[in-house]
Amino acid sequence: MPFQPSDRRPRAGITAVGTLLPEEVLSSDDLQREVARRSGLTMPPTLLRQATGILTRRVAGEGVYASTLAVGAARRALDAAGLGPLDIDLLLFASASRDLVEPATAHIVQAELGSRAHALDVTNACNSFVNGVDLARSMVLAGRARRALVVTGETPSRAVRYDPADFAEFRSGFAGYTFGDAGAAVVVEAVERGGILDVDSETHSEHWEVGGIPGGGSRHPRGDAYTYFRGDGHELRGVFEKVGTAVIDRTLHRTGMDWDGFAKVLVHQVTVPYLERFAELTGVPEGKLVVTVPELGNVASAGIGVQLDRVFGELDAGDRVLFVGLGGGISIMTMVWEKS
């Protein structure tokens, strides 16, 4: 029998969503030309575009920070919900990017919004936003919050090395050339029906060194070289292919659902080949996916929020959506949400 949660169980769900994209558009061809100009490296024409399937991405301009994108998305989500900043009693900045090491970027977002909510950061690489939604749901169900605002502002383009010293350095930072910037936000609150029905996760932390930005912490507190993304994209993809389908299979089995039961499937998108491989391994029909990576690139934790915003108005009450989060560390996460 399809998954049917008890009507007596308290529920929390997503009731509004908003996003903000930077105005500047940077094509992969222009990015490659800039890297070649600064580094002096000779590369095959259209290498980045052909290898990643990414045509363009949005790039935050001068004076635009992670908090800037989060605040803009938050205002749109609040407007969509017919709420003001003081209607929120929990604010989670759930993002891989941040403005500062300290204090939490959530406080910068809150100051800009004019909220007085309990505010904190949630950080887990590209799974940060889905983790934030799950934490907000838990706080609402526990009676610790009445209404939560979960926001992300991703500016991974700031971690891209435009002047690699040689091809070895170019290859080690290649994953960074997939990055784009974006902000997203959702309102999470108690609902009478639907809402977040199921959450599952799996971590494989032995792979934490596969990719990341090593600077800013106690291991590498200073040094510009540590502020760029480093990672082996092939190794990262291999890890996800090895372990990534188990949690999805478990979710489908536990809920008694198949792909036909979902109106949409929202998945973290790194490159076009990566997304095609995901569809091949899981069997998700192409028409269920909300494809953004060719246009926006890898927008880290904001990706699922951006995808949700694009289809939110098309969904009917009772439609179910599967979120699939993939994050460095390594973590995989699923969430089944039903529109109220």
Side-chain angles (χ1 to χ4, degrees):
M1 177 181 292
F3 183 60
Q4 296 291 342
S6 168
D7 289 336
R8 294 186 298 273
R9 187 175 67 177
R11 303 183 184 192
I14 297 167
T15 57
V17 60
T19 58
L20 181 65
L21 299 175
E23 294 183 3
E24 183 179 346
V25 178
L26 177 63
S27 73
S28 289
D29 291 346
D30 285 344
L31 173 58
Q32 181 174 325
R33 280 190 285 268
E34 183 65 13
V35 172
R37 183 186 70 82
R38 294 197 194 185
S39 67
L41 298 176
T42 301
M43 293 173 276
T46 70
L47 169 65
L48 292 183
R49 174 157 50 94
Q50 291 182 341
T52 66
I54 297 169
L55 306 178
T56 58
R57 77 274 293 137
R58 298 296 183 94
V59 177
E62 185 177 354
V64 177
Y65 311 114
S67 63
T68 312
L69 298 175
V71 168
R75 286 175 174 153
R76 292 181 177 182
L78 290 173
D79 286 346
L83 301 171
L86 296 179
D87 294 317
I88 300 298
D89 55 3
L90 174 65
L91 191 155
L92 302 178
F93 178 80
S95 181
S97 303
R98 66 198 73 179
D99 283 19
L100 310 164
V101 173
E102 186 183 2
T105 304
H107 296 294
I108 302 174
V109 173
Q110 174 144 287
E112 290 292 323
L113 284 177
S115 169
R116 301 298 299 171
H118 178 48
L120 66 148
D121 284 3
V122 178
T123 301
N124 189 24
C126 295
N127 259 338
S128 298
F129 191 63
V130 182
N131 278 127
V133 174
D134 184 33
L135 177 58
R137 165 185 175 262
S138 299
M139 294 281 277
V140 170
L141 293 181
R144 293 287 310 282
R146 183 173 56 91
R147 185 179 290 122
L149 180 65
V150 184
V151 303
T152 180
E154 292 288 13
T155 55
S157 72
R158 300 273 166 85
V160 175
R161 184 181 282 278
Y162 285 88
D163 56 348
D166 50 35
F167 275 109
E169 195 166 75
F170 175 74
R171 285 193 298 270
S172 71
F174 188 84
Y177 301 117
T178 69
F179 290 151
D181 302 334
V186 292
V187 175
V188 177
E189 58 187 324
V191 294
E192 292 296 322
R193 61 178 184 174
I196 298 168
L197 306 180
D198 186 81
V199 180
D200 201 353
S201 62
E202 194 165 300
T203 58
H204 297 266
S205 301
E206 64 272 21
H207 301 291
W208 72 268
E209 293 181 287
V210 171
I213 302 172
S218 61
R219 287 176 181 247
H220 303 288
R222 282 165 286 281
D224 187 59
Y226 296 113
T227 63
Y228 298 105
F229 184 90
R230 300 177 181 178
D232 187 326
H234 291 291
E235 184 179 356
L236 190 63
R237 174 172 168 170
V239 172
F240 281 132
E241 286 187 4
K242 181 179 179 181
V243 305
T245 61
V247 66
I248 298 171
D249 294 340
R250 197 163 61 231
T251 297
L252 296 178
H253 177 76
R254 182 176 55 254
T255 60
M257 298 179 66
D258 57 22
W259 295 121
D260 290 338
F262 295 104
K264 293 294 178 182
V265 177
L266 313 182
V267 58
H268 174 57
Q269 299 174 23
V270 179
T271 66
V272 171
Y274 204 121
L275 184 61
E276 291 173 344
R277 182 60 172 158
F278 170 84
E280 178 185 353
L281 289 172
T282 61
V284 59
E286 183 179 347
K288 299 286 185 181
L289 298 170
V290 181
V291 181
T292 57
V293 68
E295 172 197 356
L296 300 179
N298 175 2
V299 292
S301 76
I304 286 178
V306 170
Q307 293 168 50
L308 179 61
D309 189 41
R310 293 194 170 185
V311 299
F312 194 85
E314 305 170 8
L315 298 171
D316 295 323
D319 281 348
R320 291 179 175 179
V321 177
L322 177 66
F323 300 174
V324 181
L326 310 169
I330 298 291
S331 68
I332 302 98
M333 191 167 185
T334 59
M335 178 175 288
V336 178
W337 167 72
E338 180 181 308
K339 190 171 185 181
S340 303

